Amino acid sequence: MTKTMADWRRMKEAGEKIVVLTAYDAPTARILDESGVDILLVGDSVGNAVLGYDTTVPVTMAQMLHHSAAVRRGAREAFIVTDMPFGSYQCGWREAVANGILLMKEGGCDAVKLEGGTEVAPVVERMVTAGVPVMGHIGLTPQTASLLGGYRVQGRDLPAAAKLLAGARALQDAGAFSIVLECVPKELAAILSSQITVPTIGIGAGNGCDGQVLVCSDMFGLYEKFVPKFVKQYVKLAPLMREAASQYVQEVREGRYPDDEHCFTATTDYRPLLDAGN
Ligand code: KIV
């Protein structure tokens, strides 16, 4: 059964971990859904994982709508959260609300996620008031990684940690139903999780969070360019795919594929066609 907004806080209170994976297309969404994940996140990581960009910055609303709708069609039970891409919520709350509503109506998601702490809380409040459920995202925020000095662990010193706590509280007070904590020391993530009532979903933030998220292509071993320290590759699909594709190349070149097992057989005598035109 699809979990609802009421479940997330209950799960935190009961100490039940919330399991999240990213998905970007219908067949993968179907498989992950069947594996029992609670939430499918249509992350703007689609930019790196699928679209070949080096960052998430170029990802557009049109691309998020396209991938979100595909995941909606593939998923049966999972709750779907779709990322608001860079530029879709920074230019004023009206545009943010409109884009959030569009992602729900045309992208079919149940909620949206956006990056930032105290500075985005007023926008989050407007969105929630308008009926758009919002998941927050603090710590390493890839859309603004250049301002953070690159892709690095956040909250290492006390002032930075206090800023993250203030951000988490501001998002919670604005009505965010959950908050992603990305790349923060596990001790800090545990403290942040204990200081707020909405569930935290960690990525590179240790086991003290209320749930975990991974980028599916990372945990499937599909993305070989760079494997972050916190990623566990549960399978290495890239070498398996490469091997399968080279076998296909060889068999086609040698005329061994398709063999009889993979062909249709005639039920009509086509020989008259040989004389046609003679
Ligand atoms: O875009 C994404 O996949 C994300 C996760 C890393 C949390 O935001």
Side-chain angles (χ1 to χ4, degrees):
M1 226 175 54
T2 304
K3 295 204 169 69
T4 66
M5 213 53 78
D7 288 299
W8 312 127
R9 230 178 248 229
R10 178 194 57 73
M11 287 175 79
K12 178 176 175 113
E13 280 159 17
E16 272 175 55
K17 296 282 189 189
I18 300 170
V19 188
V20 187
L21 272 176
T22 68
Y24 314 108
D25 60 69
T28 311
R30 170 67 57 92
I31 292 167
L32 302 184
D33 190 286
E34 287 168 357
S35 74
V37 296
D38 297 305
I39 297 178
L40 286 175
L41 170 66
V42 189
D44 60 352
S45 50
V46 68
N48 315 72
V50 176
L51 301 176
Y53 298 130
D54 286 333
T55 73
T56 56
V57 171
V59 176
T60 63
M61 271 296 290
Q63 287 164 338
M64 293 312 298
L65 285 167
H66 179 78
H67 287 278
S68 185
V71 168
R72 172 81 283 161
R73 288 190 288 272
R76 291 225 172 103
E77 296 208 344
F79 186 92
I80 297 174
V81 178
T82 298
D83 258 340
M84 299 197 63
F86 184 58
S88 68
Y89 58 95
Q90 287 88 349
C91 304
W93 65 266
R94 282 191 179 79
E95 199 176 329
V97 170
N99 282 327
I101 290 174
L102 198 59
L103 285 169
M104 291 179 77
K105 284 170 84 92
E106 292 183 16
C109 60
D110 300 295
V112 301
K113 176 168 82 57
L114 52 79
E115 297 180 7
T118 317
E119 71 284 8
V120 295
V123 171
V124 170
E125 191 166 2
R126 293 283 192 167
M127 294 178 70
V128 175
T129 306
V132 180
V134 177
M135 178 182 267
H137 182 158
I138 58 174
L140 173 57
T141 45
Q143 292 176 5
T144 47
S146 53
L147 288 176
L148 301 173
Y151 295 86
R152 52 178 62 191
V153 176
Q154 300 296 306
R156 284 235 183 256
D157 58 30
L158 212 48
K163 193 170 168 210
L164 288 178
L165 177 57
R169 287 196 171 127
L171 288 169
Q172 167 183 274
D173 294 346
F177 71 92
S178 170
I179 301 172
V180 166
L181 303 180
E182 179 164 355
C183 283
V184 297
K186 63 183 189 328
E187 296 82 357
L188 174 60
I191 289 177
L192 294 176
S193 303
S194 73
Q195 294 300 302
I196 57 175
T197 54
V198 295
T200 57
I201 308 293
I203 176 162
N207 211 6
C209 298
D210 303 302
Q212 295 295 325
V213 58
L214 274 181
V215 169
C216 66
S217 38
D218 283 344
M219 59 93 64
F220 288 148
L222 268 173
Y223 193 73
E224 293 177 307
K225 257 189 182 172
F226 170 67
V227 182
K229 174 178 161 62
F230 56 81
V231 167
K232 178 170 175 183
Q233 291 187 323
Y234 284 79
V235 61
K236 289 189 197 301
L237 284 187
L240 295 178
M241 289 171 73
R242 207 172 284 115
E243 171 59 24
S246 359
Q247 265 185 43
Y248 169 72
V249 168
Q250 207 174 336
E251 289 188 13
V252 170
R253 290 205 172 125
E254 291 170 1
R256 288 191 289 124
Y257 176 84
D259 52 12
D260 274 356
E261 194 193 335
H262 299 97
C263 286
F264 303 105
T265 308
T267 50
T268 299
D269 182 0
Y270 294 127
R271 278 176 299 181
L273 294 179
L274 290 171
D275 302 329
N278 287 343

